[in-house]
Each structure stands twice: as structure tokens, then as C-alpha cells.
Amino acid sequence: MKIGIAGGGAFGTALGVALALDGNEISLWARNPDAVATMQNDRTNPKLPGVTLPKNITFSDELESILACDTILLAIPAQTLPAFLNAHVERLKGKYLVACCKGIDLKRMTGPASTIRDLVPDAIAAMLTGPSFAADIARGLPTALTLACADDTDGAILQTALSTTSLRIYRTTDTIGAELGGALKNVMAIASGVAIGAGLGESARAALITRGFPEMQRLATELGGQAETLSGLSGFGDLVLTCTSEQSRNFRYGLALGRGESFDSDTTVEGAATARAVRQLATDLDIDMPICTVVADLTENKTDVMSALNALLSRPLKEE
């Protein structure tokens, strides 16, 4: 199968490597001509050190290279996804569009699969999510992911197309639960990074993960997702991974906040924007989301770490 990938970052490239090694012809588009030239000529991506890019991946900065594909993986940031879709809506009609980003759009207040469905209604919208790091995928290490698609027949087609010897794909029709699990775990990863960075200890991190999980379920079920989806790979599995590893950009961002250090502004941290979107949703829907709220305030410098901690610890005692 000829598969197109939009986005030449670590994750998009890693997916291309895994799929190419399984015999697929992959066409990858990236905006930066210099990055494209490096990948095409040197068969390397600096964001994936030590990984050789297979010969059956072609690279281009011309969008036409992927628009000819029936299946396109959208490995671009959640906050820029709507602009990409709006710019190419006519050419994307009728295609399988699989979001490979995690977040909630600040303007639309929707997750990636819902954004695709709203902006390109004639396409088949899906989402690929779950506990995974680009470096692991590119090295061929075993990885299990969730493929969420509202139509189970289309989901089965994509499940077969995207499964490889190292990528085990499970499918669900609960796109809302899957996209919210992937988005909200990034917020909890920031909170966990803050706890470790501020020297609050492993017990504090465990408490944040444990209490953050029902927050994720509360919002997901309120918006139409299923609680059991959040208990799977796209929720709990991804939550554990990103809250416990410095490979997670969101966790590293939280570490920097907790230590009072600066963070590379060129690094995409989806959880920061998602936290602000969740804070607004929590207000509009009258849902108790204390961890997400303090993370949003931290990212906007509306509070400091100790004030945020005191806000959480001073909440009324209750049953678990």
C-alpha cells in the first residue's frame, strides 16, 4: 500500500520507518527543504539519531507527493492541524485521514479526529494513539497502539494497513475517548514533571497519576467518550508512559517548570495548550478538573509551583 505522511518530525518519520520496513511504499512530506534534502540524500533524520531511513521512503517538500495517496497519516501538531485541513480540503476528500497528534484545538475545542471529521466531512477520519515514543518505533521495538475510527469497517481496513511486525494495532469506534485520552495524558505528564522537578518525590508523582486518571475519565465521559477506552492503551497506557519518562516532551517541560528553568521554545508541548483548553471546558461544563486547572495556570505564569501544590492539598478531604 502507498501511504502518505504529513510531517517530518520524529514521530512521523518513525512511523514511516516502521511501515517501510514492513514492505510499504511511503511518501513523506515536510515543510523544510533542508530537512527533506538531508533525509532523502543522507537517509537520516537528526531527530532520530542512529536510525537509517529505508530506501522505500521518499521525501519531498511538495505536498503533491502525499496527496496522491489514499491513506495519509497527519503527524503535525494539533494546533496547526485545522489550518492544514482548511488549506487542502478539496484534495483530501474521500481519503483515509489518520491523525497522529494529541491535543485539543484551542479555537474549536475539539480533538484531532473530530477536527478532521468537521473540516473534511467527505474524508474517513481516524486517530492513531497510545503509549509510544518515536525512538522506540523507529528502532523496531514492540509497540501497541489504538486506531480509533467511528466506522468499524473502515477501522478494520486501517488496522490491517498500519499493523506491522513491531506495531500491534488495536481498534475502537470510540474516537472521542481515544482522542481525549491522548490529549489529557499530556497535561498529567506536565504535572508529573513539575512534581519531580520541584523535588516533591516519587510518591507525589504516583498521587498525581492516580488522581489525574479520574479527571481524564470525567471529561471524556461528559463529552461522549467511554470510560473503558480511557482504561486502555490510549488513556491509562499512554498516561503511565509519559508521566514516567524523560523521553516525553511534556514531562521534560514539567521538569523545567518545577526547577524554575527555561525550556526550548521550539519544542512542541501539546499539553500546555491542552491544559488551557481543558480549563475552559471544565468551566463551561462545570466539571471538577483541579490538576488540569493548576497546570494551565502554571503554563501561563498565573501561579507558581508551591501555590499550585497548596491549592491541591487544601482541597476538602473526601472518600476515594
Side-chain angles (χ1 to χ4, degrees), residues 254-267:
L255 277 176
L257 284 177
R259 293 169 178 167
E261 299 173 351
S262 60
F263 190 76
D264 182 6
S265 60
D266 292 331
T267 299

Side-chain angles (χ1 to χ4, degrees), residues 244-306:
T244 58
S245 174
E246 291 194 33
Q247 288 191 68
S248 164
R249 291 170 296 180
N250 292 278
F251 181 76
R252 294 200 309 273
Y253 174 68
L255 277 176
L257 284 177
R259 293 169 178 167
E261 299 173 351
S262 60
F263 190 76
D264 182 6
S265 60
D266 292 331
T267 299
T268 300
V269 181
E270 294 282 20
T274 297
R276 295 193 283 273
V278 170
R279 182 180 57 193
Q280 185 60 54
L281 284 169
T283 299
D284 295 344
L285 299 172
D286 193 25
I287 302 175
D288 190 28
M289 304 282 288
I291 298 174
C292 290
T293 298
V294 298
V295 169
D297 290 346
L298 280 169
T299 64
E300 293 183 319
N301 295 316
K302 291 182 176 179
T303 189
D304 56 53
V305 173
M306 295 314 298

